[in-house]
Amino acid sequence: MKLPKTTLILMLLALGLGGFVYFYEIQGATQREEAKANQQQIFSFAEDDVQALTIKTPKLTLNLERNPQPQPKWLLKSPVSEPANDAIVSYLMDLLIKGKSDRDLLVPANQTGDFGLNQPQATINIKLKNQKTHQIILGKADFNRRFVYAQVDPITQANGNINLLLVSTDFENAVNRELSEWKQPTNQVEQTPTPSTTEPTPTQSQ
């Protein structure tokens, strides 16, 4: 029995769609889960372990210290000394504590400039309460701007290579800020206009 041409076309389309669904939904899901499982935590310390942060960008270098008092949680120590914006610092802290690397690369140390690490967009130094220190250097974004090249606790291996990580571009948003954004917001109290005290003009008698 010869099937009509349109029926054959529909059958082929259905088979093609079924194959796409299989490879994308089943095999693709497996690959995505494997990639997610292969992501590695950037740092292993907890938020409460952090005592101080130094953030250096081409425009600004600032020092933050944990406040011994409950509020605010963080204090700016330089270039100004005043309470810090807890929401802004918490955003960065969340990336440092929970952030993961999509994958890592092993590259020769003399090629760091290709990844923007010779003139980094930011360097974050982290001091823990136990006096241990960590560092993350943020280079440039990759070609499709999905990730940023980063070097964590830089060490040059015996073979002359260094290990780079691909981290979230959220790090760019977290550190590339004006000094005013790092300061604790001040509540602006609207002043009620003062009633006029001008005395009314006396009414002239007829």
Side-chain angles (χ1 to χ4, degrees), residues 112-141:
T112 54
D114 297 338
F115 302 92
L117 293 164
N118 286 358
Q119 295 180 321
Q121 59 175 307
T123 300
I124 306 170
N125 292 303
I126 306 148
K127 181 180 178 182
L128 305 183
K129 291 178 180 178
N130 62 7
Q131 302 305 306
K132 289 185 178 180
T133 60
H134 294 277
Q135 185 183 70
I136 178 169
I137 304 172
L138 302 176
K140 65 182 182 181

PDB file of all heavy atoms in Angstrom, residues 112-141:
ATOM      1  N   THR A 112      48.505  35.351  30.668  1.00  0.00           N
ATOM      2  CA  THR A 112      47.435  35.913  31.505  1.00  0.00           C
ATOM      3  C   THR A 112      46.851  37.189  30.903  1.00  0.00           C
ATOM      4  O   THR A 112      45.683  37.495  31.115  1.00  0.00           O
ATOM      5  CB  THR A 112      47.953  36.208  32.923  1.00  0.00           C
ATOM      6  OG1 THR A 112      49.120  37.045  32.833  1.00  0.00           O
ATOM      7  CG2 THR A 112      48.305  34.926  33.655  1.00  0.00           C
ATOM      8  N   GLY A 113      47.667  37.924  30.143  1.00  0.00           N
ATOM      9  CA  GLY A 113      47.169  39.148  29.517  1.00  0.00           C
ATOM     10  C   GLY A 113      46.045  38.889  28.532  1.00  0.00           C
ATOM     11  O   GLY A 113      45.176  39.750  28.327  1.00  0.00           O
ATOM     12  N   ASP A 114      46.042  37.705  27.916  1.00  0.00           N
ATOM     13  CA  ASP A 114      44.978  37.365  26.967  1.00  0.00           C
ATOM     14  C   ASP A 114      43.624  37.252  27.653  1.00  0.00           C
ATOM     15  O   ASP A 114      42.584  37.315  26.987  1.00  0.00           O
ATOM     16  CB  ASP A 114      45.300  36.041  26.266  1.00  0.00           C
ATOM     17  CG  ASP A 114      46.567  36.119  25.431  1.00  0.00           C
ATOM     18  OD1 ASP A 114      46.962  37.249  25.057  1.00  0.00           O
ATOM     19  OD2 ASP A 114      47.156  35.062  25.148  1.00  0.00           O
ATOM     20  N   PHE A 115      43.628  37.074  28.957  1.00  0.00           N
ATOM     21  CA  PHE A 115      42.391  36.899  29.711  1.00  0.00           C
ATOM     22  C   PHE A 115      42.081  38.116  30.595  1.00  0.00           C
ATOM     23  O   PHE A 115      41.210  38.057  31.450  1.00  0.00           O
ATOM     24  CB  PHE A 115      42.482  35.636  30.566  1.00  0.00           C
ATOM     25  CG  PHE A 115      42.745  34.390  29.759  1.00  0.00           C
ATOM     26  CD1 PHE A 115      44.049  33.949  29.532  1.00  0.00           C
ATOM     27  CD2 PHE A 115      41.698  33.679  29.201  1.00  0.00           C
ATOM     28  CE1 PHE A 115      44.294  32.813  28.776  1.00  0.00           C
ATOM     29  CE2 PHE A 115      41.929  32.543  28.440  1.00  0.00           C
ATOM     30  CZ  PHE A 115      43.234  32.097  28.220  1.00  0.00           C
ATOM     31  N   GLY A 116      42.805  39.209  30.367  1.00  0.00           N
ATOM     32  CA  GLY A 116      42.543  40.447  31.084  1.00  0.00           C
ATOM     33  C   GLY A 116      43.049  40.465  32.511  1.00  0.00           C
ATOM     34  O   GLY A 116      42.623  41.306  33.305  1.00  0.00           O
ATOM     35  N   LEU A 117      43.966  39.588  32.843  1.00  0.00           N
ATOM     36  CA  LEU A 117      44.435  39.487  34.228  1.00  0.00           C
ATOM     37  C   LEU A 117      45.662  40.356  34.516  1.00  0.00           C
ATOM     38  O   LEU A 117      46.004  40.548  35.680  1.00  0.00           O
ATOM     39  CB  LEU A 117      44.720  38.029  34.583  1.00  0.00           C
ATOM     40  CG  LEU A 117      43.457  37.150  34.619  1.00  0.00           C
ATOM     41  CD1 LEU A 117      43.821  35.680  34.584  1.00  0.00           C
ATOM     42  CD2 LEU A 117      42.628  37.463  35.844  1.00  0.00           C
ATOM     43  N   ASN A 118      46.323  40.859  33.480  1.00  0.00           N
ATOM     44  CA  ASN A 118      47.440  41.777  33.713  1.00  0.00           C
ATOM     45  C   ASN A 118      46.946  43.148  34.162  1.00  0.00           C
ATOM     46  O   ASN A 118      47.613  43.847  34.923  1.00  0.00           O
ATOM     47  CB  ASN A 118      48.281  41.912  32.441  1.00  0.00           C
ATOM     48  CG  ASN A 118      49.126  40.669  32.177  1.00  0.00           C
ATOM     49  OD1 ASN A 118      49.094  39.728  32.973  1.00  0.00           O
ATOM     50  ND2 ASN A 118      49.847  40.661  31.074  1.00  0.00           N
ATOM     51  N   GLN A 119      45.785  43.524  33.667  1.00  0.00           N
ATOM     52  CA  GLN A 119      45.114  44.757  34.085  1.00  0.00           C
ATOM     53  C   GLN A 119      43.680  44.391  34.464  1.00  0.00           C
ATOM     54  O   GLN A 119      42.741  44.666  33.715  1.00  0.00           O
ATOM     55  CB  GLN A 119      45.148  45.800  32.964  1.00  0.00           C
ATOM     56  CG  GLN A 119      46.550  46.281  32.625  1.00  0.00           C
ATOM     57  CD  GLN A 119      46.550  47.310  31.505  1.00  0.00           C
ATOM     58  OE1 GLN A 119      45.803  47.202  30.543  1.00  0.00           O
ATOM     59  NE2 GLN A 119      47.398  48.316  31.650  1.00  0.00           N
ATOM     60  N   PRO A 120      43.518  43.761  35.614  1.00  0.00           N
ATOM     61  CA  PRO A 120      42.203  43.219  35.981  1.00  0.00           C
ATOM     62  C   PRO A 120      41.171  44.311  36.212  1.00  0.00           C
ATOM     63  O   PRO A 120      41.509  45.445  36.571  1.00  0.00           O
ATOM     64  CB  PRO A 120      42.490  42.456  37.273  1.00  0.00           C
ATOM     65  CG  PRO A 120      43.714  43.105  37.839  1.00  0.00           C
ATOM     66  CD  PRO A 120      44.530  43.523  36.652  1.00  0.00           C
ATOM     67  N   GLN A 121      39.911  43.950  36.011  1.00  0.00           N
ATOM     68  CA  GLN A 121      38.847  44.912  36.296  1.00  0.00           C
ATOM     69  C   GLN A 121      38.582  45.004  37.791  1.00  0.00           C
ATOM     70  O   GLN A 121      38.025  45.999  38.257  1.00  0.00           O
ATOM     71  CB  GLN A 121      37.567  44.546  35.553  1.00  0.00           C
ATOM     72  CG  GLN A 121      36.990  43.177  35.851  1.00  0.00           C
ATOM     73  CD  GLN A 121      35.656  42.986  35.150  1.00  0.00           C
ATOM     74  OE1 GLN A 121      34.744  43.801  35.285  1.00  0.00           O
ATOM     75  NE2 GLN A 121      35.535  41.928  34.361  1.00  0.00           N
ATOM     76  N   ALA A 122      39.036  44.017  38.551  1.00  0.00           N
ATOM     77  CA  ALA A 122      38.913  44.104  40.008  1.00  0.00           C
ATOM     78  C   ALA A 122      39.762  43.022  40.663  1.00  0.00           C
ATOM     79  O   ALA A 122      39.953  41.932  40.119  1.00  0.00           O
ATOM     80  CB  ALA A 122      37.462  43.958  40.452  1.00  0.00           C
ATOM     81  N   THR A 123      40.274  43.360  41.848  1.00  0.00           N
ATOM     82  CA  THR A 123      40.963  42.392  42.702  1.00  0.00           C
ATOM     83  C   THR A 123      40.309  42.463  44.081  1.00  0.00           C
ATOM     84  O   THR A 123      40.193  43.547  44.651  1.00  0.00           O
ATOM     85  CB  THR A 123      42.462  42.706  42.826  1.00  0.00           C
ATOM     86  OG1 THR A 123      43.056  42.665  41.516  1.00  0.00           O
ATOM     87  CG2 THR A 123      43.159  41.689  43.721  1.00  0.00           C
ATOM     88  N   ILE A 124      39.873  41.321  44.582  1.00  0.00           N
ATOM     89  CA  ILE A 124      39.206  41.266  45.886  1.00  0.00           C
ATOM     90  C   ILE A 124      40.080  40.451  46.839  1.00  0.00           C
ATOM     91  O   ILE A 124      40.363  39.274  46.588  1.00  0.00           O
ATOM     92  CB  ILE A 124      37.818  40.611  45.781  1.00  0.00           C
ATOM     93  CG1 ILE A 124      36.977  41.314  44.716  1.00  0.00           C
ATOM     94  CG2 ILE A 124      37.104  40.636  47.130  1.00  0.00           C
ATOM     95  CD1 ILE A 124      35.690  40.575  44.380  1.00  0.00           C
ATOM     96  N   ASN A 125      40.522  41.102  47.913  1.00  0.00           N
ATOM     97  CA  ASN A 125      41.281  40.415  48.955  1.00  0.00           C
ATOM     98  C   ASN A 125      40.365  40.171  50.146  1.00  0.00           C
ATOM     99  O   ASN A 125      39.663  41.083  50.598  1.00  0.00           O
ATOM    100  CB  ASN A 125      42.491  41.252  49.372  1.00  0.00           C
ATOM    101  CG  ASN A 125      43.525  41.347  48.265  1.00  0.00           C
ATOM    102  OD1 ASN A 125      44.015  40.337  47.769  1.00  0.00           O
ATOM    103  ND2 ASN A 125      43.843  42.553  47.858  1.00  0.00           N
ATOM    104  N   ILE A 126      40.394  38.956  50.640  1.00  0.00           N
ATOM    105  CA  ILE A 126      39.494  38.529  51.710  1.00  0.00           C
ATOM    106  C   ILE A 126      40.313  38.120  52.926  1.00  0.00           C
ATOM    107  O   ILE A 126      41.223  37.280  52.810  1.00  0.00           O
ATOM    108  CB  ILE A 126      38.634  37.334  51.245  1.00  0.00           C
ATOM    109  CG1 ILE A 126      37.907  37.696  49.945  1.00  0.00           C
ATOM    110  CG2 ILE A 126      37.651  36.899  52.330  1.00  0.00           C
ATOM    111  CD1 ILE A 126      37.685  36.526  49.031  1.00  0.00           C
ATOM    112  N   LYS A 127      40.015  38.711  54.065  1.00  0.00           N
ATOM    113  CA  LYS A 127      40.693  38.352  55.304  1.00  0.00           C
ATOM    114  C   LYS A 127      39.692  37.667  56.232  1.00  0.00           C
ATOM    115  O   LYS A 127      38.623  38.211  56.522  1.00  0.00           O
ATOM    116  CB  LYS A 127      41.273  39.594  55.990  1.00  0.00           C
ATOM    117  CG  LYS A 127      42.028  39.284  57.277  1.00  0.00           C
ATOM    118  CD  LYS A 127      42.577  40.565  57.903  1.00  0.00           C
ATOM    119  CE  LYS A 127      43.289  40.277  59.226  1.00  0.00           C
ATOM    120  NZ  LYS A 127      43.794  41.520  59.860  1.00  0.00           N
ATOM    121  N   LEU A 128      40.049  36.477  56.686  1.00  0.00           N
ATOM    122  CA  LEU A 128      39.170  35.722  57.579  1.00  0.00           C
ATOM    123  C   LEU A 128      39.496  36.026  59.041  1.00  0.00           C
ATOM    124  O   LEU A 128      40.547  36.573  59.359  1.00  0.00           O
ATOM    125  CB  LEU A 128      39.308  34.225  57.307  1.00  0.00           C
ATOM    126  CG  LEU A 128      39.075  33.757  55.855  1.00  0.00           C
ATOM    127  CD1 LEU A 128      39.164  32.242  55.774  1.00  0.00           C
ATOM    128  CD2 LEU A 128      37.731  34.243  55.333  1.00  0.00           C
ATOM    129  N   LYS A 129      38.587  35.640  59.916  1.00  0.00           N
ATOM    130  CA  LYS A 129      38.791  35.874  61.344  1.00  0.00           C
ATOM    131  C   LYS A 129      39.979  35.086  61.889  1.00  0.00           C
ATOM    132  O   LYS A 129      40.590  35.482  62.879  1.00  0.00           O
ATOM    133  CB  LYS A 129      37.515  35.502  62.108  1.00  0.00           C
ATOM    134  CG  LYS A 129      36.358  36.446  61.838  1.00  0.00           C
ATOM    135  CD  LYS A 129      35.106  36.010  62.584  1.00  0.00           C
ATOM    136  CE  LYS A 129      33.946  36.954  62.311  1.00  0.00           C
ATOM    137  NZ  LYS A 129      32.691  36.513  62.987  1.00  0.00           N
ATOM    138  N   ASN A 130      40.308  33.971  61.234  1.00  0.00           N
ATOM    139  CA  ASN A 130      41.462  33.173  61.677  1.00  0.00           C
ATOM    140  C   ASN A 130      42.776  33.675  61.068  1.00  0.00           C
ATOM    141  O   ASN A 130      43.788  32.989  61.118  1.00  0.00           O
ATOM    142  CB  ASN A 130      41.250  31.699  61.340  1.00  0.00           C
ATOM    143  CG  ASN A 130      41.116  31.440  59.837  1.00  0.00           C
ATOM    144  OD1 ASN A 130      41.315  32.345  59.007  1.00  0.00           O
ATOM    145  ND2 ASN A 130      40.765  30.222  59.477  1.00  0.00           N
ATOM    146  N   GLN A 131      42.727  34.868  60.443  1.00  0.00           N
ATOM    147  CA  GLN A 131      43.878  35.554  59.845  1.00  0.00           C
ATOM    148  C   GLN A 131      44.309  34.970  58.503  1.00  0.00           C
ATOM    149  O   GLN A 131      45.265  35.467  57.892  1.00  0.00           O
ATOM    150  CB  GLN A 131      45.086  35.570  60.802  1.00  0.00           C
ATOM    151  CG  GLN A 131      44.799  36.225  62.138  1.00  0.00           C
ATOM    152  CD  GLN A 131      44.255  37.644  62.004  1.00  0.00           C
ATOM    153  OE1 GLN A 131      44.868  38.472  61.355  1.00  0.00           O
ATOM    154  NE2 GLN A 131      43.114  37.911  62.620  1.00  0.00           N
ATOM    155  N   LYS A 132      43.634  33.944  58.027  1.00  0.00           N
ATOM    156  CA  LYS A 132      43.940  33.438  56.697  1.00  0.00           C
ATOM    157  C   LYS A 132      43.407  34.415  55.654  1.00  0.00           C
ATOM    158  O   LYS A 132      42.443  35.149  55.902  1.00  0.00           O
ATOM    159  CB  LYS A 132      43.326  32.053  56.489  1.00  0.00           C
ATOM    160  CG  LYS A 132      44.001  30.955  57.296  1.00  0.00           C
ATOM    161  CD  LYS A 132      43.413  29.601  56.953  1.00  0.00           C
ATOM    162  CE  LYS A 132      44.114  28.484  57.730  1.00  0.00           C
ATOM    163  NZ  LYS A 132      43.551  27.137  57.396  1.00  0.00           N
ATOM    164  N   THR A 133      44.029  34.432  54.490  1.00  0.00           N
ATOM    165  CA  THR A 133      43.618  35.350  53.431  1.00  0.00           C
ATOM    166  C   THR A 133      43.349  34.594  52.133  1.00  0.00           C
ATOM    167  O   THR A 133      43.922  33.521  51.892  1.00  0.00           O
ATOM    168  CB  THR A 133      44.686  36.424  53.179  1.00  0.00           C
ATOM    169  OG1 THR A 133      45.910  35.781  52.784  1.00  0.00           O
ATOM    170  CG2 THR A 133      44.912  37.274  54.411  1.00  0.00           C
ATOM    171  N   HIS A 134      42.486  35.175  51.322  1.00  0.00           N
ATOM    172  CA  HIS A 134      42.185  34.644  49.991  1.00  0.00           C
ATOM    173  C   HIS A 134      42.100  35.812  49.026  1.00  0.00           C
ATOM    174  O   HIS A 134      41.918  36.960  49.432  1.00  0.00           O
ATOM    175  CB  HIS A 134      40.868  33.861  50.000  1.00  0.00           C
ATOM    176  CG  HIS A 134      40.907  32.608  50.811  1.00  0.00           C
ATOM    177  ND1 HIS A 134      41.411  31.429  50.324  1.00  0.00           N
ATOM    178  CD2 HIS A 134      40.505  32.363  52.090  1.00  0.00           C
ATOM    179  CE1 HIS A 134      41.310  30.493  51.268  1.00  0.00           C
ATOM    180  NE2 HIS A 134      40.774  31.037  52.342  1.00  0.00           N
ATOM    181  N   GLN A 135      42.211  35.493  47.762  1.00  0.00           N
ATOM    182  CA  GLN A 135      42.171  36.535  46.738  1.00  0.00           C
ATOM    183  C   GLN A 135      41.497  36.007  45.475  1.00  0.00           C
ATOM    184  O   GLN A 135      41.662  34.845  45.106  1.00  0.00           O
ATOM    185  CB  GLN A 135      43.583  37.000  46.390  1.00  0.00           C
ATOM    186  CG  GLN A 135      43.632  38.168  45.409  1.00  0.00           C
ATOM    187  CD  GLN A 135      45.069  38.546  45.047  1.00  0.00           C
ATOM    188  OE1 GLN A 135      45.758  37.799  44.360  1.00  0.00           O
ATOM    189  NE2 GLN A 135      45.520  39.709  45.520  1.00  0.00           N
ATOM    190  N   ILE A 136      40.704  36.868  44.849  1.00  0.00           N
ATOM    191  CA  ILE A 136      40.153  36.552  43.528  1.00  0.00           C
ATOM    192  C   ILE A 136      40.404  37.745  42.618  1.00  0.00           C
ATOM    193  O   ILE A 136      40.118  38.891  42.990  1.00  0.00           O
ATOM    194  CB  ILE A 136      38.651  36.186  43.592  1.00  0.00           C
ATOM    195  CG1 ILE A 136      38.113  35.905  42.175  1.00  0.00           C
ATOM    196  CG2 ILE A 136      37.824  37.246  44.302  1.00  0.00           C
ATOM    197  CD1 ILE A 136      36.726  35.293  42.168  1.00  0.00           C
ATOM    198  N   ILE A 137      40.988  37.479  41.459  1.00  0.00           N
ATOM    199  CA  ILE A 137      41.300  38.510  40.467  1.00  0.00           C
ATOM    200  C   ILE A 137      40.354  38.309  39.296  1.00  0.00           C
ATOM    201  O   ILE A 137      40.282  37.213  38.724  1.00  0.00           O
ATOM    202  CB  ILE A 137      42.764  38.405  40.000  1.00  0.00           C
ATOM    203  CG1 ILE A 137      43.712  38.494  41.202  1.00  0.00           C
ATOM    204  CG2 ILE A 137      43.084  39.498  38.991  1.00  0.00           C
ATOM    205  CD1 ILE A 137      45.164  38.209  40.845  1.00  0.00           C
ATOM    206  N   LEU A 138      39.625  39.355  38.939  1.00  0.00           N
ATOM    207  CA  LEU A 138      38.651  39.283  37.856  1.00  0.00           C
ATOM    208  C   LEU A 138      39.238  39.875  36.586  1.00  0.00           C
ATOM    209  O   LEU A 138      39.599  41.052  36.544  1.00  0.00           O
ATOM    210  CB  LEU A 138      37.374  40.030  38.233  1.00  0.00           C
ATOM    211  CG  LEU A 138      36.654  39.557  39.508  1.00  0.00           C
ATOM    212  CD1 LEU A 138      35.468  40.469  39.796  1.00  0.00           C
ATOM    213  CD2 LEU A 138      36.205  38.109  39.383  1.00  0.00           C
ATOM    214  N   GLY A 139      39.344  39.053  35.551  1.00  0.00           N
ATOM    215  CA  GLY A 139      39.829  39.515  34.257  1.00  0.00           C
ATOM    216  C   GLY A 139      38.682  39.976  33.378  1.00  0.00           C
ATOM    217  O   GLY A 139      37.687  40.512  33.862  1.00  0.00           O
ATOM    218  N   LYS A 140      38.788  39.727  32.093  1.00  0.00           N
ATOM    219  CA  LYS A 140      37.750  40.175  31.171  1.00  0.00           C
ATOM    220  C   LYS A 140      36.709  39.074  30.960  1.00  0.00           C
ATOM    221  O   LYS A 140      36.918  37.912  31.342  1.00  0.00           O
ATOM    222  CB  LYS A 140      38.372  40.581  29.834  1.00  0.00           C
ATOM    223  CG  LYS A 140      39.027  39.437  29.059  1.00  0.00           C
ATOM    224  CD  LYS A 140      39.661  39.962  27.772  1.00  0.00           C
ATOM    225  CE  LYS A 140      40.279  38.821  26.968  1.00  0.00           C
ATOM    226  NZ  LYS A 140      40.917  39.329  25.727  1.00  0.00           N
ATOM    227  N   ALA A 141      35.603  39.447  30.352  1.00  0.00           N
ATOM    228  CA  ALA A 141      34.550  38.479  30.056  1.00  0.00           C
ATOM    229  C   ALA A 141      34.950  37.626  28.858  1.00  0.00           C
ATOM    230  O   ALA A 141      35.797  38.023  28.043  1.00  0.00           O
ATOM    231  CB  ALA A 141      33.248  39.210  29.780  1.00  0.00           C
TER     232      ALA A 141
END
